[in-house]
Amino acid sequence: MPSKTVTVGSSVGLHARPASTIAQAASEAGVPVTLATAGGQPVDAGSALLIMTLGAKKGDEVTVESDDASVMEKIAELVESDLDA
């Protein structure tokens, strides 16, 4: 499965608003997408609650993984963006 490691860009990390935006995009994609922090278990990117359990803060690295490379890139771009701006 293709993967990409990116740096969290949101000033508050992957909390409520950014997690919700990412989860919505992942759900709408219709293919499985996971997020994981270094050494952590992958979580379903379609669930804002599971994304928040990562505890990822601004500047942390998160690995995005999906069978669909274009979906993976889209979610990776969201993780890198400051979704609280």
Side-chain angles (χ1 to χ4, degrees):
M1 197 179 313
S3 67
K4 181 175 185 176
T5 300
V6 295
T7 303
V8 175
S10 287
S11 57
V12 296
L14 297 183
H15 288 281
R17 183 175 296 149
S20 177
T21 301
I22 293 166
Q24 182 175 353
S27 294
E28 289 173 357
V31 296
V33 182
T34 62
L35 301 178
T37 53
Q41 292 295 317
V43 300
D44 178 3
S47 169
L49 183 60
L50 290 176
I51 292 171
M52 288 188 289
T53 66
L54 292 172
K57 298 178 173 73
K58 180 176 177 68
D60 287 353
E61 289 191 337
V62 172
T63 300
V64 182
E65 192 170 64
S66 177
D67 284 331
D68 186 320
S70 64
V71 170
M72 179 201 62
E73 288 293 337
K74 178 179 181 179
I75 301 303
E77 286 176 16
L78 289 172
V79 172
E80 289 179 308
S81 301
D82 186 357
L83 299 173
D84 288 307

